[in-house]
Amino acid sequence: MMKRRKKIKLIAFSLALFISLSAWGIIGSVRSAVYKRQIELNNQQALTGLCEYLDGIEVSLTKSLYAASPAMLSSITSKLQRDCAGAKASLSALEAGETNLQNTYKFLSQVGEYTAYLSKKVASGEKISNEEYEMMRSLSSFASGLSLKFEYMASLLSADYFTFEEISEKLSEADSGSESTVSYLDSISDAEMTFENYPTLIYDGPFSDNILTKESEILKNSEEISKERAKEIAADTLGVDEKFLVEEEDTNGKTAAYCFRTETYDIYITKNGGYVLEILSNITAGEEKLTRADAVEKAALFLNTLGFLDMVSTYEASNDGICTVNFAYKQDSFICYPDLIKVSVSLSDGRITGFESTDFLINHRERDIPPFSLTPDEAMRDIASHLQVKKISAAVIPTDGTSEKYTYELLCEDNDGEDILIYKDITTGEEADILILLYSDNGTLTK
C-alpha cells in the first residue's frame, strides 16, 4: 500500500514537473517571439529614420549648389550636419543587428566635414571651385541613390516580406556601393580643412506649413455668429437647402467652427466672423475632361463668391482626377505666401471637392511693407555663377519662427536646366531661402 502511494506521488510530481517545464517553455517561446518582434520593430524604425535623414541630406546637398552667401551656406550646412548625425544614430541602431554598414557611416561623417569646410571657405571670402561644385553634385546624387535603396528595403521589411536578419545582407550590399564615393572623398586633401563634431509631392506648394501658435487677427476682431447663421452660410456655399444639412459636433481652438454634413460634404464655418474654414467631400473623380487651367479658373471663381479677394494662384497639382490649387494673397506687388488658401476641383465635372483657408485666417493681415533698400538689378548680383535669372518678383515668406521676411523671389535656371527659387531680403540682400522646383505631369513640386 505504501509503495503504491509513493508511486502515485512520484507520478503526480513528475506530471507537475512536466507541466511546469512545458509552461515555462511556452512562456519562454512567447517571450522570445515578443523579443524578436521588438527587435524587428526597432530595426524597422531605425531604417525608416535613416531613409528620412538621407533624403534630407540629398536636398541640403542640392541646395548648397545654389547658395551664394556665407549665411545661407552656413544654415544649409548646419541642417545637413544634423541630418548626418541623425543618420549615423540610425545606422548605429541597425548595427545592433550586426549589419556591415561601415562605408555608409564613413560617407555620412565625411560629407558633413566636407560641407563644413566649404562653408568656412566661403565665409573667409573665397570662391567654391568648379571641381568642388561637381563634388557636391556627385555627393547629392549618391545620397539620393542610397536613400532609394534603403527605402526599398524598408518597404520590404514593413510588409513582412523579409525579416531584418534576412535583409541585413542586402543592406550590406547597398553599403558596398559607397566605396567609390568614400575613396573620392579620401582623395580630397586640404591643409585648411578642419573637422567639426555636430550632429513631395509637396501638395501644398512652397511655404504652406504655417505656425498655428499665432492668434488670428481676423477671427479675434470678428463677432461670434449663431449656429443658425452658420447654417445659412453653409447651405449657400454648398448650393443646397438648409434642410439637407445635418449638425455635427463643433470644433474648438484658435479656429473654432460649426460643422455641418450632407451626403456629399462636410463643411466648417468659423464661429467668429462666419468664414468658410474647410470643406471635405467624398467625391471620386471620373474621366478627366478638364485641364488644370480650367481647374484654376473654377477655383478662382469659387474664391470670389466666398469673398476672398486679391488672391492669385501660385501652384497646383493633380492626383486621381482632383486638382488642388494654391492661392496666396497679393498686397501691392508682394505675393504673401503665408496667406494660403487651397481649393480642390474635380477634373471630370468641375465640382469643388475640397477647400481650406486655415493658413489664410491665421496669417492674413495688411502688412506694413518696408521700402526696398536694393534694386532688382542689385538683387540679381552675387548669386551662384552657374545660375541664370529668368524672372524676379516680390514675395513675403515665413521664417522658421513666427515672423516673416520681405524678399525678392528670383526664379533661376542652372546649367542643367533645373529651376531654382532664391529668396533675397529686400533690405539686406541676404539669401533668405532656396527652393528647388520639380515639374511633372501632375503639376509643380518643390523640395
Side-chain angles (χ1 to χ4, degrees):
M1 189 69 175
M2 290 294 291
K3 287 183 178 180
R4 188 166 177 269
R5 286 180 180 176
K6 285 181 180 181
K7 188 175 182 179
I8 292 173
K9 286 182 178 180
L10 182 60
I11 292 172
F13 176 77
S14 299
L15 183 60
L17 180 62
F18 173 77
I19 292 172
S20 178
L21 291 173
S22 297
W24 278 108
I26 293 171
I27 292 171
S29 297
V30 170
R31 285 178 176 172
S32 177
V34 170
Y35 178 69
K36 285 182 179 179
R37 183 57 182 162
Q38 187 61 50
I39 290 177
E40 289 288 311
L41 291 174
N42 290 342
N43 282 322
Q44 183 178 324
Q45 185 177 18
L47 191 55
T48 301
L50 174 61
C51 295
E52 292 174 354
Y53 287 123
L54 283 171
D55 185 57
I57 289 166
E58 184 264 329
V59 171
S60 293
L61 284 169
T62 303
K63 287 186 177 182
S64 67
L65 294 169
Y66 311 113
S69 68
M72 176 54 67
L73 188 57
S74 175
S75 174
I76 293 172
T77 299
S78 294
K79 182 182 185 307
L80 190 146
Q81 289 172 323
R82 290 194 298 271
D83 284 341
C84 283
K88 289 194 287 186
S90 295
L91 278 177
S92 297
L94 289 175
E95 285 171 2
E98 299 185 359
T99 304
N100 182 17
L101 296 169
Q102 290 92 337
N103 285 325
T104 301
Y105 196 94
K106 188 176 182 181
F107 165 75
L108 293 169
S109 296
Q110 294 187 335
V111 136
E113 292 160 359
Y114 185 61
T115 51
Y117 154 67
L118 293 181
S119 180
K120 290 192 175 186
K121 182 177 180 179
V122 172
S124 66
E126 296 182 68
K127 296 286 187 180
I128 298 177
S129 68
N130 289 334
E131 290 78 12
E132 288 166 335
Y133 272 124
E134 285 306 311
M135 179 61 188
M136 295 295 282
R137 197 181 299 277
S138 174
L139 294 175
S140 174
S141 176
F142 177 79
S144 177
L146 198 62
S147 177
L148 287 174
K149 288 181 181 179
F150 285 146
E151 282 176 3
Y152 174 67
M153 294 170 198
S155 67
L156 294 179
L157 189 64
S158 177
D160 291 329
Y161 287 129
F162 296 99
T163 65
F164 185 78
E165 205 172 294
E166 293 168 326
I167 213 170
S168 60
E169 184 179 339
K170 295 184 181 294
L171 288 170
S172 298
E173 289 173 3
D175 176 79
S176 64
S178 61
E179 288 179 356
S180 58
T181 303
V182 170
S183 298
Y184 191 11
L185 281 167
D186 283 339
S187 68
I188 298 172
S189 58
D190 194 305
E192 297 176 1
M193 186 171 179
T194 57
F195 300 103
E196 304 275 349
N197 293 318
Y198 294 91
T200 132
L201 170 74
I202 300 181
Y203 206 61
D204 298 341
F207 310 120
S208 62
D209 295 330
N210 69 106
I211 308 300
L212 292 181
T213 55
K214 294 166 61 177
E215 187 175 13
S216 167
E217 290 187 16
I218 294 178
L219 300 182
K220 181 178 67 174
N221 297 322
S222 299
E223 292 185 3
E224 185 172 343
I225 66 170
S226 65
K227 179 168 283 191
E228 289 70 25
R229 175 58 186 143
K231 196 170 189 178
E232 292 175 10
I233 296 171
D236 187 53
T237 301
L238 298 179
V240 300
D241 194 288
E242 287 184 42
K243 66 182 180 182
F244 295 112
L245 291 176
V246 177
E247 295 181 9
E248 295 289 315
E249 186 176 352
D250 300 348
T251 65
N252 297 310
K254 296 182 182 298
T255 54
Y258 299 111
C259 177
F260 305 94
R261 175 175 53 83
T262 70
E263 289 185 359
T264 305
Y265 293 101
D266 283 39
I267 183 169
Y268 298 80
I269 309 296
T270 62
K271 293 182 177 180
N272 284 16
Y275 296 96
V276 179
L277 177 68
E278 188 172 10
I279 299 174
L280 303 171
S281 76
N282 57 16
I283 294 174
T284 301
E287 180 185 354
E288 295 185 15
K289 298 178 181 178
L290 304 178
T291 65
R292 287 205 303 271
D294 295 329
V296 171
E297 185 178 343
K298 290 184 178 296
L301 182 61
F302 182 69
L303 273 185
N304 285 333
T305 62
L306 295 183
F308 292 101
L309 306 178
D310 300 317
M311 305 294 292
V312 294
S313 62
T314 54
Y315 295 89
E316 75 278 343
S318 58
N319 187 40
D320 292 333
I322 303 293
C323 181
T324 296
V325 186
N326 296 326
F327 292 87
Y329 177 70
K330 189 169 185 179
Q331 180 178 334
D332 300 329
S333 61
F334 282 81
I335 294 178
C336 303
Y337 283 112
D339 300 8
L340 175 75
I341 296 180
K342 292 174 284 185
V343 185
S344 296
V345 179
S346 168
L347 292 176
S348 60
D349 55 16
R351 283 189 294 172
I352 301 299
T353 63
F355 175 89
E356 186 181 343
S357 64
T358 303
D359 284 20
F360 180 91
L361 294 177
I362 289 290
N363 294 308
H364 180 65
R365 68 185 191 284
E366 287 300 310
R367 296 166 170 85
D368 295 324
I369 298 176
F372 291 86
S373 296
L374 68 161
T375 66
D377 286 340
E378 290 171 332
M380 289 189 286
R381 297 174 192 164
D382 299 323
I383 62 172
S385 59
H386 52 287
L387 291 178
Q388 297 293 324
V389 179
K390 296 166 61 177
K391 179 183 176 183
I392 184 168
S393 53
V396 180
I397 64 172
T399 66
D400 289 337
T402 57
S403 60
E404 299 174 341
K405 284 193 174 182
Y406 300 91
T407 69
Y408 280 110
E409 180 183 66
L410 287 80
L411 175 60
C412 306
E413 183 179 43
D414 71 2
N415 294 335
D416 295 328
E418 188 166 37
D419 282 345
I420 314 298
L421 287 174
I422 295 179
Y423 295 87
K424 284 195 170 186
D425 193 295
I426 64 169
T427 58
T428 66
E430 293 180 353
E431 289 175 315
D433 205 350
I434 297 175
L435 290 172
I436 303 165
L437 289 178
L438 306 173
Y439 302 104
S440 75
D441 293 338
N442 292 328
T444 304
L445 327 174
T446 67
K447 65 177 180 179

